[in-house]
Amino acid sequence: MARIAVIGAGMGAMATAARLAVAGHRVTVYERGSTYGGAVGRHERDGFAFDTGPGLLHLPAVYRDLFVKTGKRPLEQCVELVQVDPAVRHVLPDGTTVTLPNASRGGAAAVLDQAFGPGAGDRWSEVLGRARDAWNATRRPLLEEPLWPNWQVLGEDPYPALRKSGLLRRRPPTLAEVAARELGGPLAGLLAERVLAHGLDPATAPASAAVLPYMEQTFGSWYVRGGMRALATAVHERCRERKVDFVFGAGVREVVERDGRAAGLLLADGEAVEADAVVCGVDPRALAIPLAPGSTPARSTGLSTRYTLFLALRGARPADAVHRTLAGGGVTVLRPDDPAAVPDAEHEAVTVQAVVGPGAAPSAEDLLAAAEGAVPGLRERLLWHEERTPADVLEATGAVDGTVPAPALAGSGGRLLYPANTTALPGLYLAGGWAHPGGGLPHAGMTGALVAGLIVEGADFRGSR
């Protein structure tokens, strides 16, 4: 039984801790803050409650697998998962709306035909069909296997752009170019907005970014009753059931090296912690973690930050309200149908999020204006609002500059990949959204299976199954 020290109590770190504890190791998590969950937090005021991070779960199979592998009770017995339907409403620049059903290719095609004319649904389905090919080509190396030593091959874009489209003459096309050529008109904007919501710029993102809307349409969008924080609580409770220890208010100053390998931690208060292996579940840039030789470099350019506005509204949530609206410009409006989010049935809690690129800093007024298209009568109903900035993200997660990691993607020469889960220091591993396979709840959760596999099976580990 090895002693394992885990830095941070984010979702990827806790998923790793639970799996290692099941394998018989003695695991202790050291978290600089006062609670678990990292970006998956909860803000409460006057009986209202809001998610501070992701508002929906895609690819829930990742967390179903975690709960199957770490205990007797499956995920659905620990949280109430609700499939969100409709999945998303798009507000177009002219103010018209398009509402797409959840996990229904045929249903989405029918809606798009009605909105944009016959053939629009087929064009959308064909693009997502090509995205499916890209997903099938990269699913294992990007989600289920340790980062390949020859990770450079993943720099090639697997999206099979149409031949004779003019997109393959000089270089692989961007997502925006594929959307314009293969979809065109307002339909192209729908694809671009899905990618913007992940903090990726369609003008520079590879065409393989189409796997993100493909994943949503195929595996569905899910909400956890009581807020996404309830998922973090369930993972924390599973860790405690597996005898994982948590030490809060324990910032880490550095990883201790002895005899050429990781041997523990030096905490901010000067306490030394002995360990046989260390898992860094926070942004490795914050601790100057030495990356594995030849590993893809740490993501440090083109990163996004998240601005959030919490809105407390008078008046009941309308029966026809949609849980998620993409209001344009990377702004997402979340209106959960959840009694746990409001003081009573005569009020509504709304969250407005904008994941923006470097240098952009939307004001509260900008977010309010964008939200008005999704919430009619917003100004008249508004009781109060509170803003959450990248500084708050930094405080909660320790990510440098409060940046938010996007999922890893193939293409773009590998610049959208993340560092390997192993490092240059034997016995030191990377988990969470800043390591392979990147950010987002599913991807961060997968780091738990990868890091646990590497520690338990060593060099023989070839990926989760």
Side-chain angles (χ1 to χ4, degrees):
M1 179 175 66
R3 300 166 299 172
I4 312 248
V6 178
I7 306 171
M11 298 299 284
M14 290 196 296
T16 306
R19 290 178 181 271
L20 288 171
V22 166
H25 298 297
R26 192 173 74 200
V27 184
T28 303
V29 176
Y30 297 88
E31 166 58 45
R32 64 196 287 271
S34 60
T35 188
Y36 52 85
V40 185
R42 194 78 162 161
H43 177 71
E44 298 182 357
R45 173 182 164 184
D46 300 340
F48 293 88
F50 309 86
D51 286 318
T52 62
L56 291 172
L57 174 64
H58 305 294
L59 203 61
V62 171
Y63 288 90
R64 290 191 179 111
D65 180 73
L66 171 65
F67 277 74
V68 166
K69 300 291 177 55
T70 59
K72 295 181 179 179
R73 292 186 302 147
L75 177 64
E76 280 80 359
Q77 288 186 14
C78 300
V79 298
E80 183 182 353
L81 278 177
V82 180
Q83 195 166 23
V84 174
D85 199 14
V88 62
R89 174 173 291 166
H90 290 268
V91 177
L92 304 182
D94 63 2
T96 60
T97 62
V98 178
T99 304
L100 299 179
N102 196 7
S104 174
R105 177 175 175 174
V111 168
L112 295 174
D113 277 343
Q114 184 175 9
F116 303 115
D122 285 343
R123 295 200 305 276
W124 179 265
S125 295
E126 288 166 1
V127 166
L128 291 198
R130 290 187 281 277
R132 177 196 59 220
D133 295 339
W135 165 265
N136 289 337
T138 58
R139 177 179 58 86
R140 278 201 63 82
L142 282 181
L143 288 180
E144 300 172 0
E145 297 177 352
L147 188 67
W148 291 348
N150 61 334
W151 57 266
Q152 291 84 355
V153 301
L154 295 173
E156 300 177 5
D157 195 331
Y159 181 86
L162 287 177
R163 296 187 179 278
K164 298 182 179 180
S165 65
L167 296 179
L168 298 172
R169 291 177 181 173
R170 294 167 295 174
R171 54 169 174 74
T174 66
L175 188 282
E177 290 170 336
V178 163
R181 188 62 63 92
E182 299 183 9
L183 292 173
L187 195 58
L190 267 61
L191 188 68
E193 282 295 325
R194 294 290 190 90
V195 173
L196 270 173
H198 288 273
L200 297 166
D201 182 355
T204 58
S208 65
V211 302
L212 300 174
Y214 163 77
M215 186 173 70
E216 291 183 18
Q217 181 169 293
T218 303
F219 303 109
S221 299
W222 300 79
Y223 177 70
V224 179
R225 190 72 70 189
M228 299 305 295
R229 175 67 175 177
L231 177 63
T233 297
V235 176
H236 176 254
E237 290 177 349
R238 177 54 54 89
C239 286
R240 295 307 306 252
E241 290 171 6
R242 301 276 69 86
K243 309 302 183 185
V244 174
D245 291 325
F246 285 79
V247 182
F248 295 106
V252 174
R253 184 183 303 173
E254 63 181 67
V255 176
V256 174
E257 177 182 351
R258 186 180 304 120
D259 298 327
R261 63 174 292 112
L265 304 174
L266 181 63
L267 303 184
D269 63 3
E271 179 185 354
V273 174
E274 297 285 333
D276 300 301
V278 173
V279 177
C280 176
V282 300
D283 186 345
R285 297 174 298 165
L287 291 173
I289 298 295
L291 303 182
S295 174
T296 174
R299 291 276 295 275
S300 59
T301 60
L303 297 174
S304 299
T305 55
R306 179 188 288 125
Y307 288 80
T308 306
L309 203 62
F310 305 125
L311 309 179
L313 305 184
R314 62 172 61 87
R317 179 183 186 273
D320 63 349
V322 174
H323 187 116
R324 179 176 61 149
T325 297
L326 298 184
V331 176
T332 300
V333 180
L334 300 171
R335 306 178 69 183
D337 183 11
D338 189 350
V342 291
D344 54 53
E346 296 306 314
H347 293 86
E348 183 180 4
V350 175
T351 301
V352 187
Q353 293 182 340
V355 183
V356 299
S363 67
E365 180 58 34
D366 294 332
L367 297 181
L368 276 173
E372 285 185 283
V375 185
L378 172 65
R379 303 277 183 173
E380 293 76 19
R381 297 179 58 197
L382 184 62
L383 291 171
W384 51 260
H385 68 265
E386 286 193 21
E387 187 177 9
R388 184 179 176 87
T389 69
D392 299 303
V393 176
L394 168 61
E395 179 62 26
T397 68
V400 175
D401 298 326
T403 46
V404 179
L409 291 173
S412 292
R415 68 178 179 85
L416 298 181
L417 300 175
Y418 287 82
N421 305 106
T422 53
T423 70
L425 182 62
L428 174 59
Y429 302 85
L430 300 181
W434 291 103
H436 173 72
L441 280 173
H443 295 69
M446 279 304 304
T447 64
L450 295 175
V451 173
L454 288 165
I455 291 176
V456 173
E457 299 183 29
D460 294 331
F461 181 63
R462 293 292 179 267
S464 57
R465 295 173 177 82

